[in-house]
Amino acid sequence: MKKKILVLGCTGSIGSSTLDIVRRFPDLFSVCGLTAHTRKTELEKLCREFSCTNAATAATEDSPDAIRCVIEKSNADIAVNGIAGSAGLMPSVWCLQNNINLALANKETVVMAGPLIKELASTKGRSVIPVDSEHSALFFLIERFGKKRVSSLILTASGGPFRTLSADKLASVTLEDALKHPTWNMGKKISIDSATLANKGLEVIEACRLFDMPPEKVKVAVHPQSLVHSLIQTVDGDLYAQISEPDMRRPILSALTWPEAIENDLKKLDLTSAIGSKDGICMSFFPPRFKDFPLLGCAYEAQKKGGAYTIAYNAANEVAVEFFLQRKIGFTAIQNTVAAVLDKDWSQEPENFEAVFALDTKARKAALAFVTDFSGRG
């Protein structure tokens, strides 16, 4: 029997990779729902290809509940949430409320409301399976070794396009420079987050919450080749890594087939092919530059403080990145905005999703006030 797949954000990079998996395994999967943000023509084309009549765009439908209606009508076995940013939180909630397992690529769901999401999933008896390559790697490594044997988690980071750029030059980098990710083909917002290391900061928070680890047990190693996606260190001190080609279809397939694993024709990393070659396969690791890319450190502090600090971190970053994408502020103003917002009191712990969004709105207003004043002075 085919597994019914709901794809949220079907025209983005995660959604496109998911649909490619469906194309490759038509005997295993069928599409029961599709949503997109604004690309209605592309959505209609995908609906025809996958014979899907349950679809909507978030930004152009008359009903503000269009995405929710698609989720409720889908009768899906699993949903892949590839929606970008805080807009992906409520679709995650709606999926779980409708007893749909969640293959989660929207890290903001966990950053903004991790405890509430885990409680909802537990109440509904549903699974949240991470799709980010790093968290997917950790999920399956922990599953194989058992939580009791794991002492720490190591997330890898490509380092982004400015990994080797001197600190004094960061203030003058351009939008075009920041969008040139060295490894992954991603949307604009996440590409900027990778350049500032805010994306890794969000992933640190996500890892702490998904796997119930304190921040001091979650580390980051810069790994430019993006072949090692994450590692665990066991209580006896050994390291175990998940290593594969940098292809998002692999963690998506793992999430869709979990708890099973299937043979596939995705490109496999062959270390033996490098034997005798001139260059071989190089895998190098470096410590992150916390001083030059302070948003990573800010994420650790936000997670340590608890309350709504992670909500404020995400909201301020989203506001600042949007201003940078509009060329209204410079690259380093992103980190200045986030730091200014986090200087305020965010100790309140949200008790429900309504409170999460109220705090998110408050943080966005604080970020907007700072960045508007900053851009006006600049």
Side-chain angles (χ1 to χ4, degrees):
M1 187 174 180
K2 293 183 180 182
K3 186 175 286 189
K4 299 186 291 294
I5 312 297
L6 167 64
V7 187
L8 306 174
C10 67
T11 60
S13 60
I14 294 294
S16 298
S17 294
T18 302
L19 292 175
D20 188 64
I21 291 295
V22 176
R23 292 186 188 98
R24 288 168 178 264
F25 299 95
D27 295 335
L28 296 181
F29 308 119
S30 64
V31 176
C32 64
L34 294 169
T35 76
H37 183 51
T38 57
R39 300 177 185 173
K40 193 168 185 177
T41 301
E42 190 173 340
L43 175 64
E44 291 171 347
K45 182 180 178 181
L46 291 171
C47 286
R48 291 191 295 271
E49 178 184 354
F50 292 98
S51 302
C52 178
T53 58
N54 182 33
T57 52
T60 58
E61 294 292 331
D62 293 333
S63 169
D65 295 325
I67 302 302
R68 185 173 189 170
C69 290
V70 169
I71 293 170
E72 291 175 347
K73 289 166 54 180
S74 68
N75 193 30
D77 295 306
I78 188 168
V80 177
N81 187 351
I83 297 172
S86 57
L89 171 54
M90 285 313 298
S92 292
V93 174
W94 296 329
C95 287
L96 294 173
Q97 287 176 338
N98 284 275
N99 299 302
I100 301 170
N101 289 321
L102 193 58
L104 187 62
N106 176 264
K107 57 180 64 67
E108 289 81 3
T109 291
V110 177
V111 169
M112 294 174 67
L116 295 171
I117 285 291
K118 292 181 75 173
E119 180 183 3
L120 176 59
S122 177
T123 299
K124 290 291 186 177
R126 296 296 94 189
S127 298
V128 178
I129 309 159
V131 166
D132 273 347
S133 61
E134 297 87 352
H135 300 86
S136 172
L138 291 173
F139 178 85
F140 288 102
L141 285 167
I142 292 171
E143 185 179 59
R144 282 164 173 75
F145 283 85
K147 181 69 182 297
K148 290 183 178 180
R149 290 186 62 188
V150 178
S151 66
S152 63
L153 312 177
I154 300 97
L155 295 163
T156 55
S158 70
F162 307 137
R163 180 179 65 84
T164 60
L165 197 67
S166 61
D168 61 320
K169 293 183 179 179
L170 287 173
S172 60
V173 299
T174 68
L175 173 60
E176 288 74 21
D177 294 332
L179 289 172
K180 294 176 183 176
H181 194 278
T183 306
W184 301 97
N185 180 21
M186 307 180 294
K188 290 183 178 181
K189 197 269 180 180
I190 193 172
S191 295
I192 302 304
D193 284 350
S194 178
T196 64
L197 291 195
N199 187 55
K200 203 53 53 178
L202 293 169
E203 290 179 0
V204 166
I205 297 169
E206 185 180 10
C208 290
R209 295 183 160 194
L210 281 175
F211 306 115
D212 297 315
M213 280 285 189
E216 60 270 19
K217 295 287 188 179
V218 178
K219 304 173 184 179
V220 173
V222 175
H223 170 52
Q225 295 80 22
S226 298
L227 298 174
V228 175
H229 300 290
S230 276
L231 308 93
I232 59 170
Q233 190 157 48
T234 52
V235 292
D236 55 3
D238 290 338
L239 287 172
Y240 296 89
Q242 189 270 323
I243 308 172
S244 65
E245 290 281 348
D247 184 346
M248 282 306 301
R249 293 175 299 179
R250 190 166 290 282
I252 291 169
L253 178 61
S254 295
L256 293 181
T257 58
W258 182 82
E260 305 297 329
I262 64 170
E263 292 187 14
N264 58 80
D265 61 354
L266 297 176
K267 184 181 179 182
K268 296 175 177 60
L269 183 63
D270 183 5
L271 296 178
T272 64
S273 67
I275 296 176
S277 67
K278 180 180 179 181
D279 300 318
I281 294 177
C282 175
M283 289 189 280
S284 54
F285 302 88
F286 306 90
R289 293 161 55 193
F290 281 95
K291 183 178 179 180
D292 300 332
F293 298 92
L295 286 181
L296 180 56
C298 285
Y300 275 97
E301 287 302 311
Q303 177 61 23
K304 288 176 183 176
K305 289 181 177 179
Y309 279 92
T310 61
I311 296 173
Y313 176 88
N314 178 71
N317 181 63
E318 285 195 8
V319 170
V321 169
E322 183 57 35
F323 268 69
F324 178 67
L325 287 171
Q326 295 175 11
R327 305 178 191 274
K328 293 180 179 179
I329 60 172
F331 182 75
T332 54
I334 299 173
Q335 64 199 40
N336 296 335
T337 303
V338 176
V341 172
L342 290 179
D343 276 343
K344 300 180 181 299
D345 181 9
W346 302 100
S347 57
Q348 179 183 348
E349 189 76 47
E351 297 182 355
N352 50 49
F353 294 110
E354 290 77 14
V356 168
F357 281 104
L359 289 161
D360 175 76
T361 298
K362 182 180 177 181
R364 287 174 189 276
K365 288 180 178 178
L368 186 60
F370 177 86
V371 80
T372 300
D373 180 60
F374 186 90
S375 60
R377 286 186 282 111

